[in-house]
Amino acid sequence: MCPGTCRGLPNNAGIPYTYRLDGSLFNLRRIKAETKISIDRIYELQYADDAAIPAHSVEDLQSSLNSLSTAYKCTGLLVNTKKTEVLSSAVTHDLPALSFSVYSDTLSNVQEFTYLGYILSDSCSLDSEVEHRIEAASSAFGRLTKRVFLNHNPAIPTKVAVYRAVCVSVILYGCDTWTLYRRHVKAFEAFHIRSLQSILGIRWWQKIPHTELFG
């Protein structure tokens, strides 16, 4: 992350944000205190070989792309234009797509892409991410079904512990940034109930209430 003033970028580039570092992010009473609040501006987010460049306008984004690509090139690094994509949440699909370029190569405009294992969409919807999380957790559950969940040797508490460590951690990856709707919660609950029924060997015709599964 490169907050603050970056050379070659306009003063209004990037995304302004306010953050707290005193452990009281969700304390509504103390969040109003201005003494422990810092305001800064994000120009780019980098993790390993993945970088994200936020901007409010077309001019700011193209300027940031030019400055960063030039800085990378000076250190012997090149931007992979085939893997670099542009996602806009301010333009409707009825309008023409915005055009951005790096090294004279036009970048692709997409409706969603994956960044650090998290699916971002131009509509800011969680539908694709929730579906992806459930699929990933289902795949992890399937790989352990014969060896753990349907194996008669491990005890039920052991199976549940493995389920929580492997499947639940996968399905809740990045959940601290989610704003869920009822349909998302129902989808997660359906997967959770199916998984517990499979672990406990419960079939639908036994008509076991869901409340007993969590006991």
Side-chain angles (χ1 to χ4, degrees):
M1 182 172 63
C2 177
T5 303
C6 292
R7 295 181 179 179
L9 298 179
N11 294 330
N12 59 347
I15 301 294
Y17 73 106
T18 303
Y19 62 93
R20 299 176 62 91
L21 298 177
D22 60 351
S24 302
L25 178 61
F26 298 104
N27 190 324
L28 297 182
R29 292 182 178 180
R30 298 183 61 184
I31 200 171
K32 297 180 181 180
E34 299 181 358
T35 56
K36 295 184 178 181
I37 294 179
S38 180
I39 299 177
D40 218 320
R41 184 176 292 272
I42 296 179
Y43 293 96
E44 43 118 356
L45 297 170
Q46 292 194 5
Y47 183 85
D49 58 346
D50 293 327
I53 304 174
H56 278 298
S57 66
V58 176
E59 294 78 12
D60 289 345
L61 181 55
Q62 185 60 63
S63 177
S64 298
L65 288 171
N66 295 338
S67 299
L68 291 176
S69 60
T70 301
Y72 294 159
K73 193 172 183 179
C74 291
T75 59
L77 301 176
L78 294 178
V79 177
N80 190 330
T81 56
K82 294 183 179 180
K83 294 183 178 180
T84 304
E85 298 172 332
V86 178
L87 183 145
S88 174
S89 60
V91 179
T92 62
H93 301 301
D94 297 333
L95 298 178
L98 302 176
S99 178
F100 300 93
S101 62
V102 175
Y103 308 137
S104 301
D105 294 336
T106 303
L107 303 180
S108 302
N109 288 272
V110 297
Q111 297 181 10
E112 64 179 29
F113 67 89
T114 302
Y115 181 67
L116 302 181
Y118 189 88
I119 298 178
L120 303 176
S121 65
D122 58 354
S123 62
C124 298
S125 173
L126 282 176
D127 293 346
S128 298
E129 175 63 16
V130 169
E131 182 179 353
H132 173 65
R133 289 290 106 209
I134 294 178
E135 290 179 355
S138 299
S139 178
F141 189 92
R143 290 194 297 268
L144 296 173
T145 297
K146 293 184 179 179
R147 291 182 294 175
V148 179
F149 301 131
L150 296 184
N151 192 333
H152 297 290
N153 293 324
I156 294 298
T158 302
K159 296 180 181 180
V160 174
V162 173
Y163 167 72
R164 289 178 176 176
V166 178
C167 301
V168 174
S169 61
V170 169
I171 203 171
L172 295 181
Y173 175 79
C175 65
D176 50 344
T177 62
W178 292 348
T179 301
L180 298 175
Y181 291 94
R182 184 173 299 178
R183 65 179 183 274
H184 302 143
V185 176
K186 288 184 177 180
F188 286 134
E189 288 180 345
F191 168 80
H192 187 49
I193 291 173
R194 289 196 307 268
S195 300
L196 293 179
Q197 288 175 339
S198 178
I199 293 173
L200 299 175
I202 298 176
R203 299 295 180 264
W204 66 268
W205 59 80
Q206 294 176 302
K207 297 181 180 179
I208 303 296
H210 293 166
T211 54
E212 294 187 11
L213 297 176
F214 306 115

